[in-house]
Amino acid sequence: MTRLVMKFGGTSVAGPERIRAAARLVAAEAEKGAQVAVVVSAMAGETDRLLALASGFGGGLGDSETDAALAAGEQVSAALMALALGELGLKARSFLGWQAGVRTDGPPGASRIAGLDAAPVLAAMRAGEIPVLAGYQGVDAAGRVRTLGRGGTDLSAVALAAALDAQCDIYTDVDGVYTTDPRIEPRARRIDAISYDEMLELAAQGAKVLQTRSAEMAKARGVKLRVLSSFAEPGKAEGTMVTDAGLIAERRIVSGVAYARDQARISALGASDRPQAAAALFGALADAEVGVDMIVQTRARDAGTANIEFTVDRKDLPKALKAAEGAKAAAGAREIGHETGLAKVSIVGLGLNRRADVARILFEALGEKAIEVKVIATSEIKISALIDNDAVERAVRALHAAYGLDGE
Ligand code: ASP
Ligand code: MG
């Protein structure tokens, strides 16, 4: 019998009507003969509301009791979903993270799933019940309730699907993964199938449909994912399949264009060109838990010196500057400079490394729109360009057209 995990995000369980609509989608799959398990997010806005309440008492993301408060959001939606399935005549039962054996490690507010014991959920399925798991939560080794980081219900769903050897359908408010953000480029198209690696890059580069860590786990555990809309009638959603590159028929050079606003650039000027200098700098940033993105080292004017530049999220700038200043002497840098008001646009595609002219197309497309490229970084399946924040829309549209992604 095929097993299916159906995950519903916050907008898909936003209120009684949405919960009932989601329950009908579950019923339709169960009717087709699949063994279904459901995973739910908190009702839209609920996690923010609970976080604000906890903040009123000095709590924040990262402390224990805030986690206990946040986990309540998913407790409510899981119970309501089980009730809604009951209304349709189905047997259902809600599970909190700890009841489903979701074990975590790592800090409050950003825990990882260390393991998931599928036995309780499987037992319910075998007894003809539909288990409804509260996403985003688990329990740590000390028995404390923990949450998995914002958007973490995706991770709960993928972990459950891996444990059940099931396909994982992620229901959301868009009908799949798009070639770019349709709010910026109305000619964006839904992608039928995309590889794990492309999905990971798109997520890491700012596409928000799927939590990055969940795509990583899906790849590592070979979980077949589908992203689709819960606003479609049962059986009508097409969605996007996220799977192995080898299983994708359509051969594209570029699959999508992603962007991330609010980037900042930091430069360590006249640093020593010995690798130890860069190691001291990036070591300090790692210790401060700053995620560093694009890194460029160029030779500086004076012999033996280099300019090291890198980008960080704007919100991490104060932390990053403090860390960089602290490492300035060890890196032998003359000056630590920074620039804000930047953004990153990226093209992602499995075919990028097969074609020699992809970089030329990028520079030409941005050049024609008089968009300055400040830093460029490439990987096997991605090229990112650092540009001005206010050029994002123009850049996304120019690249979408230049790589032939515009729909008819
Ligand atoms: N409710 C949590 C959040 O808003 C987890 C999730 O929705 O995936 O981040
Ligand atoms: Mg989400």
Side-chain angles (χ1 to χ4, degrees):
M1 197 183 239
T2 58
R3 288 201 189 125
L4 180 65
V5 168
M6 301 174 76
K7 180 261 174 177
F8 295 96
T11 50
S12 301
V13 293
E17 280 325 304
R18 295 305 317 150
I19 293 174
R20 289 194 171 99
R24 286 195 292 274
L25 293 171
V26 175
E29 291 294 347
E31 234 159 72
K32 279 196 264 169
Q35 251 188 17
V36 185
V38 178
V39 182
V40 289
S41 289
M43 297 164 78
E46 185 63 9
T47 306
D48 288 332
R49 190 183 73 86
L50 295 169
L51 186 55
L53 279 173
S55 309
F57 294 90
L61 261 188
D63 62 57
S64 224
E65 295 305 342
T66 300
D67 261 18
L70 294 182
E74 273 74 8
Q75 171 163 357
V76 171
S77 55
L80 296 180
M81 177 62 80
L83 287 168
L85 290 166
E87 283 183 341
L88 298 176
L90 294 159
K91 281 205 280 176
R93 174 186 156 170
S94 66
F95 284 85
L96 298 180
W98 65 269
Q99 292 171 316
V102 182
R103 287 177 290 104
T104 65
D105 57 29
S111 289
R112 288 175 297 273
I113 294 185
L116 190 154
D117 170 18
V121 167
L122 265 175
M125 287 168 101
R126 293 215 170 94
E129 288 176 330
I130 297 179
V132 182
L133 175 66
Y136 181 52
Q137 57 175 274
V139 62
D140 75 2
R144 305 289 325 246
V145 169
R146 288 289 173 260
T147 67
L148 304 174
R150 299 306 302 268
T153 300
D154 289 342
L155 189 64
S156 308
V158 171
L160 184 61
L164 295 174
D165 200 16
Q167 176 175 312
C168 186
D169 283 357
I170 305 274
Y171 281 90
T172 176
D173 52 7
V174 293
D175 60 347
V177 180
Y178 272 68
T179 50
T180 196
D181 185 343
R183 286 168 305 184
I184 289 188
E185 176 48 89
R187 276 169 293 200
R189 287 175 294 137
R190 183 177 54 80
I191 303 170
D192 282 323
I194 192 167
S195 69
Y196 293 120
D197 290 315
E198 290 169 303
M199 188 66 242
L200 269 168
E201 285 291 4
L202 286 175
Q205 300 312 314
K208 289 184 191 69
V209 273
L210 208 62
Q211 192 216 28
T212 310
R213 283 197 292 157
S214 71
E216 275 164 12
M217 185 185 282
K219 183 189 174 193
R221 309 274 306 263
V223 174
K224 223 200 222 177
L225 284 178
R226 210 155 57 122
V227 176
L228 63 179
S229 171
S230 70
F231 289 72
E233 288 303 310
K236 290 282 163 18
E238 295 180 273
T240 298
M241 191 62 92
V242 186
T243 183
D244 265 339
L247 299 175
I248 296 171
E250 197 192 341
R251 286 272 153 205
R252 294 169 304 245
I253 304 297
V254 170
S255 288
V257 180
Y259 63 94
R261 294 184 209 270
D262 300 318
Q263 304 292 300
R265 166 161 70 169
I266 297 180
S267 32
L269 301 175
S272 155
D273 68 357
R274 289 174 307 117
Q276 293 89 324
L281 181 64
F282 293 115
L285 289 155
D287 290 343
E289 290 185 4
V290 175
V292 172
D293 189 19
M294 306 162 106
I295 300 178
V296 185
Q297 176 163 341
T298 49
R299 194 176 310 172
R301 239 177 303 120
D302 302 322
T305 69
N307 295 329
I308 305 172
E309 294 185 296
F310 56 92
T311 63
V312 299
D313 273 350
R314 175 70 182 83
K315 66 168 172 27
D316 288 340
L317 183 64
K319 251 197 322 188
L321 279 176
K322 198 168 158 229
E325 284 291 347
K328 186 173 154 186
R334 174 164 43 78
E335 187 190 325
I336 303 289
H338 73 274
E339 183 184 357
T340 57
L342 302 171
K344 185 176 60 167
V345 286
S346 307
I347 53 169
V348 172
L350 284 179
L352 282 180
N353 58 0
R354 292 199 308 268
R355 290 278 297 267
D357 58 349
V358 286
R360 177 177 59 85
I361 295 174
L362 179 132
F363 282 110
E364 276 179 6
L366 296 180
E368 267 168 30
K369 301 279 182 245
I371 297 167
E372 185 199 349
V373 176
K374 292 162 182 277
V375 176
I376 188 140
T378 65
S379 77
E380 204 149 303
I381 64 165
K382 176 197 76 185
I383 304 180
S384 299
L386 192 69
I387 61 173
D388 277 325
N389 242 341
D390 54 21
V392 167
E393 272 95 354
R394 281 184 297 136
V396 166
R397 285 193 286 261
L399 294 175
H400 199 263
Y403 290 101
L405 295 174
D406 283 0
E408 290 74 49

